[in-house]
Amino acid sequence: MSQSERDVIEQSGAASGAGFDIHGMVGIEVAPGTPGESQLRDMFAPFLGKSLASRRLFITEEISPVSDRSHAEGAYRFTADSLYIPADRVQIIETPQGYRIEGSGELLTAVIPLLDRLCVQEETAMIHAAVVDFRGSGVLLPAWGGVGKTSTVAKLVAMPGVRFMADDWAFLGAGGMLMGYAKPMFIKPHHRAIYPALFHGTRKPLAPGWLTTPVAHLATTVHPVIVRYPKTAAFTRRWSPEHRMVHPEQVFGADRISSAAPAQLAIFLERFDGTEAQLEPRSADWMTSRIVGNFHSELPMVSRRLVEALGASGLVPLEEHFGAKATVVRRALEGVPCSLLRLPVQWSADRTSDFVANVVCSKLDE
């Protein structure tokens, strides 16, 4: 087992409660003994600490009694300010400060969409993207999973003056500020050529490259069930042959991590069936639509089910949430050059990340 993996396990061993401050916008409080505390400590480690934010999420195992609930067949039960999803054994209660999330499972899948909701109320949107601070210029590279975000940040951060901000989730403020999220990175077999140091010594075994896709599909299939059982989920996450979990500062060094930078470039990355890469300019409206849709699409199935239930019950009207988020992203992209970069699906992660890094450099040098 790597030192980074030991550190994660040691850090997440306590069950004494935890608090997190998300860039001063949203506070997250986890009650002592909450079964999902381990994963929340892992995934929100960069934000660990007391928060004074007025918008808050409170997370606990205790399910509050709620009377006079309406029933949406067997899918969920709800009132004007609460929602219970039996399949996921999670209950959401709206509070004056935000939301109370209750359940005995790993609750990250409920936290993320509600965190995004509260951030939007603070004129900031969560995005699914690789993000770097390129010598003071914020670069966001939204993309589907598997396109090469984690590989690309390695190539960019290797350049002088470039610092890591995120390889998966980040935050984009309406004023144009990109804010990082240096959560653990998930290193997979195809990253061997890009992060060679992470494959030296005694490590958790990983599936061979040819098995990565089937293992990933299996993990996606069982995820909605596994998250109900935190201990099983924690074991599966740490010992899955699909990936290895490593903290960014242990990869790049603490001095190569940046928390914020003004957005100066946005390039949406996607794979396609062609043989040559294609770079095409796009409007801010086009990029806004893709960023909002991509974030929702890349949420786990359990999270998407929660968003659907919140909208159907009227607790968080979908048109209001998506409309408000689109407004935040569109304002943030005002004056930011936007492009679509289509990359051949047969290109390796190494070749793809080299190409993307070169495009970023050329765009910022214009």
Side-chain angles (χ1 to χ4, degrees):
M1 186 188 305
S2 69
Q3 182 59 49
S4 61
E5 289 167 325
R6 285 194 293 270
D7 290 344
V8 167
I9 291 173
E10 289 169 4
Q11 179 186 28
S12 60
S16 56
F20 307 93
D21 180 65
I22 312 301
H23 289 292
M25 298 179 295
V26 179
I28 300 177
E29 182 180 351
V30 184
T34 300
E37 180 185 338
S38 173
Q39 188 195 29
L40 294 169
R41 279 181 173 271
D42 285 351
M43 299 304 290
F44 288 111
F47 305 114
L48 187 65
K50 183 178 177 60
S51 176
L52 299 178
S54 59
R55 300 194 188 275
R56 308 189 71 81
L57 293 172
F58 181 77
I59 305 167
T60 180
E61 178 184 19
E62 301 297 326
I63 300 287
S64 303
V66 177
S67 60
D68 199 28
R69 296 187 295 195
S70 296
H71 288 230
E73 296 186 349
Y76 36 88
R77 303 162 200 162
F78 62 96
T79 66
D81 59 4
S82 73
L83 169 69
Y84 177 65
I85 304 179
D88 303 322
R89 294 185 291 188
V90 63
Q91 179 163 274
I92 309 300
I93 296 179
E94 190 171 22
T95 70
Q97 296 78 33
Y99 299 97
R100 178 182 173 97
I101 303 172
E102 304 173 340
S104 58
E106 283 202 324
L107 297 176
L108 180 69
T109 50
V111 170
I112 292 301
L114 292 172
L115 172 60
D116 183 40
R117 168 69 174 169
L118 294 182
C119 285
V120 167
Q121 292 174 355
E122 290 292 309
E123 298 193 312
T124 297
M126 287 192 73
I127 60 176
H128 180 253
V131 180
V132 296
D133 179 341
F134 196 101
R135 301 162 191 160
S137 296
V139 177
L140 65 152
L141 303 169
W144 308 109
V147 169
K149 299 187 303 300
T150 300
S151 302
T152 298
V153 294
K155 300 296 179 67
L156 288 168
V157 176
M159 300 176 182
V162 181
R163 294 191 291 166
F164 176 95
M165 292 181 70
D167 79 322
D168 194 37
W169 289 333
F171 301 87
L172 178 61
M177 187 63 68
L178 275 168
M179 288 161 274
Y181 184 0
K183 71 173 185 60
M185 301 165 64
F186 292 91
I187 303 301
K188 301 181 180 181
H190 66 262
H191 291 131
R192 184 181 297 272
I194 299 162
Y195 295 96
L198 300 181
F199 290 82
H200 292 162
T202 302
R203 306 280 177 171
K204 178 185 76 172
L206 295 179
W210 63 271
L211 267 179
T212 299
T213 298
V215 170
H217 287 165
L218 177 61
T220 300
T221 300
V222 303
H223 183 261
V225 176
I226 289 292
V227 295
R228 301 176 191 169
Y229 308 98
K231 291 183 179 179
T232 302
F235 177 85
T236 302
R237 187 171 61 251
R238 294 189 181 108
W239 293 102
S240 167
E242 179 194 1
H243 59 246
R244 180 175 295 131
M245 191 168 66
V246 185
H247 286 276
E249 61 269 23
Q250 294 170 320
V251 179
F252 304 113
D255 61 333
R256 301 302 294 272
I257 309 295
S258 175
S259 62
Q264 299 293 327
L265 181 65
I267 303 176
F268 195 98
L269 309 178
E270 66 182 27
R271 298 282 194 166
F272 80 124
D273 291 332
T275 58
E276 299 294 332
Q278 299 176 1
L279 180 64
E280 305 165 358
R282 287 290 188 268
S283 68
D285 288 338
W286 180 93
M287 184 63 76
T288 296
S289 179
R290 294 300 294 271
I291 285 176
V292 173
N294 175 255
F295 177 82
H296 181 73
S297 176
E298 290 293 324
L299 287 173
M301 183 189 305
V302 180
S303 302
R304 297 198 304 271
R305 184 159 60 210
L306 172 61
V307 172
E308 175 186 289
L310 289 167
S313 65
L315 196 61
V316 180
L318 295 182
E319 72 279 6
E320 175 188 325
H321 173 69
F322 286 112
K325 182 166 184 175
T327 297
V328 168
V329 175
R330 180 62 186 83
R331 287 176 55 196
L333 294 175
E334 187 71 39
V336 176
C338 299
S339 303
L340 166 65
L341 178 55
R342 306 178 77 202
L343 301 151
V345 71
Q346 71 270 23
W347 280 12
S348 68
D350 198 19
R351 182 177 180 183
T352 296
S353 54
D354 279 337
F355 191 91
V356 176
N358 287 334
V359 169
V360 169
C361 290
S362 67
K363 283 288 184 181
L364 290 176
D365 286 341
E366 289 180 355

